Amino acid sequence: RLDRRLPLLAGLAALAGAAAVLLAALPGVLAGRPVEHRLGGQARVIAIAFTADPLGTLFALVTTLLGAILLLYTLSELGGLGKRELGGYAALCLLLLAALIGTALTADLFNLFVWFEVAALSSYGLTGFFLERPIALEAAFKILVLTTVASFGVFIGTGLLYARHGVLNLGLLHDAVGAATGVADLVALTLLVAGYATKAGLVPFHTWLPDAHTAAPGPVSALFSGLMVNLGVIVLARLAYQVFAPSPVPLMGLLMLLGLVSALLGAVLALRQDDLKRLLAYDTVSQMGVITVGLATATPYGAAGAVYHLLNHAFFKALLFLCAGAIVHRTGLTDLSDMGGLARRMPVIAGAFLVGVASIAGVPPLNGYASLALIHHGLELTHQTVPAVLLALAQAVTIAALARAAWLAFFGRRTAPDVPERLRPGMVVGFSALATCCVALGVLSGPVVDRVMRPAAAALTRGDLYAAAVRGQPVRIAPADVHLTYLDPVTLLVTAGCLAAGLLLARLSGRVIRLAPLRRLAALHDGSVNDYAALAAAGTLVVALVVLL
């Protein structure tokens, strides 16, 4: 009632306060001393445990930073909305950001489900925010159906573990599950993996993601792709390393399978897209697969690379979605075939988009190069040649898809559509801040790996020490033995090969996308929520077969 932009300003203040708390805790956490706190009671079995380890603290801190950038961007791009609309938008965004921070810091399995639900409820409202657009309502319905199925699986899986072991604390579950893994544990793990893989957008649980990203406003798409999908990846990492690590379940092999399939199919589907935001959404599926492959290496190098890439993805994918949203907002165009020559009319957006593309492509000195190098080194150390080749192939297809998009949108024609609206200051600040983060995390990759990723990898791979910290025991987790050789000849050769293959494939993409296998793959994504639910059910059966057999 006082001012229509006051809710967003209040959100910025809240995020600044959260960031201050996290920054105060960060030095101790990176020094190997997780911060543990219990809510709701003194008994460890009943109380809800919050534990700030490097992974959770870093992601929570990035959530506050990126959330603040996106709210500031919204003040410019969507500042013309009415009081009710802008206030509702701010409330939904803050609910989603709260859920992401809660997920990062929670060490209680049921509370993870609660944050899953908070994130889901806010995502429904944000996806269908522009109610007058039928595409928005349709996308909101699809995400409602598929996420509700996933959350039901998470709830049942959590209940099975509680019924069997009587605990929900991740540290206590680490000890209980490792002692004796029964059939109920395996069924619970199947449901948990399927549920959180849905939130992460991993194939074949990914079908909600392209529609939701396409229908939502630009800042919301950036929030979904840069942050929300990481909720699922973080929980999968905790299950694999910090709960089920002592058990004989082949969880790492399952994650490797899901990661490679997602990396490859997401990149291929991105290459086929004409809608810019849908292309970026499928690339998110591919990038979540890359991060999952890093986790599945079960090595400190792979874990460090996965955490690094998770943070990098938050920045470069948010940057790309803001660029796509700005193009749609200012020109009304969504298809690449209708664009072209926009670089002359939108030089700031063109420059920001190229920074994001180069970051994902792993071009040094931008941030994607270092994180991809660590993941590949993790595969190399474990002699996983086939996954390394498939991951390099997925990277080449990703480069082809994004290079094709950049050319068609910004350089493909001599004449460009009219752009009547200039960029507002908040939008320029958003582009500049995210591009700066992409450059800084690449240029400073040496200190980032030594001082940040080594502690993160250690806390993740030493699930026994994390479990002890969650139980309230004083522990100190020594940094992992991870070192980045920036100019490693093998890394440079792989990067150059992927870039060359990707640019060549981009040149030939007009022929490649017409191949029959790719047409059949695209036909599976027909927009039917019934077919999407069937794909998710089939994926759950595959997960069950791997886990139970």
Side-chain angles (χ1 to χ4, degrees), residues 407-496:
W407 172 260
L408 291 177
F410 298 104
F411 307 104
R413 297 179 181 176
R414 293 184 178 180
T415 59
D418 292 332
V419 183
E421 186 179 1
R422 293 185 178 182
L423 287 178
R424 297 186 176 95
M427 300 171 71
V428 176
V429 170
F431 293 133
S432 302
L434 292 174
T436 300
C437 289
C438 291
V439 175
L441 284 173
V443 172
L444 301 175
S445 57
V448 169
V449 171
D450 290 338
R451 300 177 186 178
V452 180
M453 296 306 151
R454 291 178 65 208
L460 196 56
T461 55
R462 291 301 306 271
D464 55 337
L465 294 180
Y466 173 82
V470 173
R471 293 194 300 267
Q473 300 174 10
V475 299
R476 187 183 184 280
I477 306 175
D481 186 18
V482 174
H483 302 282
L484 175 65
T485 304
Y486 199 85
L487 298 179
D488 177 62
V490 175
T491 301
L492 291 173
L493 184 62
V494 170
T495 301

Side-chain angles (χ1 to χ4, degrees), residues 175-530:
D175 299 335
V177 172
T181 304
V183 175
D185 297 325
L186 300 180
V187 174
L189 180 60
T190 297
L191 296 173
L192 291 171
V193 169
Y196 285 111
T198 301
K199 182 60 72 175
L202 296 175
V203 175
F205 308 99
H206 66 292
T207 46
W208 64 270
L209 194 147
D211 286 345
H213 286 58
T214 303
V220 174
S221 299
L223 184 59
F224 283 1
S225 187
L227 293 175
M228 188 177 74
V229 293
N230 293 329
L231 182 156
V233 174
I234 288 174
V235 180
L236 290 175
R238 296 217 185 279
L239 292 174
Y241 281 100
Q242 297 167 342
V243 176
F244 284 89
S247 70
V249 181
L251 185 51
M252 291 300 182
L254 173 61
L255 292 182
M256 180 65 74
L257 175 64
L258 290 175
L260 289 173
V261 171
S262 300
L264 281 168
L265 294 188
V268 169
L269 289 168
L271 184 63
R272 282 190 51 87
Q273 302 307 308
D274 189 42
D275 186 291
L276 177 57
K277 293 182 72 175
R278 188 171 288 270
L279 182 152
L280 296 176
Y282 278 116
D283 181 68
T284 295
V285 174
S286 180
Q287 296 303 309
M288 290 301 104
V290 172
I291 295 170
T292 305
V293 168
L295 294 172
T297 62
T299 65
Y301 274 92
V307 176
Y308 200 172
H309 205 68
L310 184 145
L311 302 182
N312 288 337
H313 180 263
F315 291 113
F316 57 58
K317 188 51 65 68
L319 177 60
L320 290 175
F321 265 111
L322 285 188
C323 292
I327 292 172
V328 174
H329 182 72
R330 298 174 70 204
T331 67
L333 302 177
T334 59
D335 293 338
L336 293 169
S337 55
D338 296 328
M339 302 178 191
L342 292 177
R344 288 183 291 275
R345 301 291 181 91
M346 303 179 177
V348 174
I349 296 176
F353 193 89
L354 291 177
V355 169
V357 169
S359 297
I360 296 181
V363 176
L366 298 172
N367 55 351
Y369 172 79
S371 54
L372 289 170
L374 291 174
I375 292 174
H376 282 286
H377 194 57
L379 292 170
E380 180 184 345
L381 288 176
T382 51
H383 307 290
Q384 300 185 66
T385 305
V386 173
V389 172
L390 293 178
L391 195 62
L393 177 61
Q395 182 68 8
V397 179
T398 295
I399 293 170
L402 293 174
R404 171 178 170 269
W407 172 260
L408 291 177
F410 298 104
F411 307 104
R413 297 179 181 176
R414 293 184 178 180
T415 59
D418 292 332
V419 183
E421 186 179 1
R422 293 185 178 182
L423 287 178
R424 297 186 176 95
M427 300 171 71
V428 176
V429 170
F431 293 133
S432 302
L434 292 174
T436 300
C437 289
C438 291
V439 175
L441 284 173
V443 172
L444 301 175
S445 57
V448 169
V449 171
D450 290 338
R451 300 177 186 178
V452 180
M453 296 306 151
R454 291 178 65 208
L460 196 56
T461 55
R462 291 301 306 271
D464 55 337
L465 294 180
Y466 173 82
V470 173
R471 293 194 300 267
Q473 300 174 10
V475 299
R476 187 183 184 280
I477 306 175
D481 186 18
V482 174
H483 302 282
L484 175 65
T485 304
Y486 199 85
L487 298 179
D488 177 62
V490 175
T491 301
L492 291 173
L493 184 62
V494 170
T495 301
C498 289
L499 286 171
L503 294 176
L504 178 61
L505 181 59
R507 183 65 182 264
L508 302 174
S509 60
R511 302 176 184 176
V512 173
I513 61 178
R514 290 194 293 268
L515 295 176
L518 300 189
R519 292 202 307 270
R520 286 193 288 270
L521 177 63
L524 292 175
H525 301 75
D526 58 0
S528 168
V529 69
N530 298 324

Side-chain angles (χ1 to χ4, degrees), residues 5-13 15-16 63-80 86 89-90 93-94 97 218-220 222-223 322 423-434:
R5 299 191 180 189
L6 189 57
L8 293 178
L9 296 175
L12 290 173
L15 290 169
T63 298
T64 61
L65 175 59
L66 187 53
I69 293 173
L70 295 178
L71 285 181
L72 182 62
Y73 184 95
T74 301
L75 282 170
S76 288
E77 186 181 63
L78 301 179
L86 205 55
Y89 175 89
C93 284
L94 290 173
L97 294 171
V220 174
L223 184 59
L322 285 188
L423 287 178
R424 297 186 176 95
M427 300 171 71
V428 176
V429 170
F431 293 133
S432 302
L434 292 174

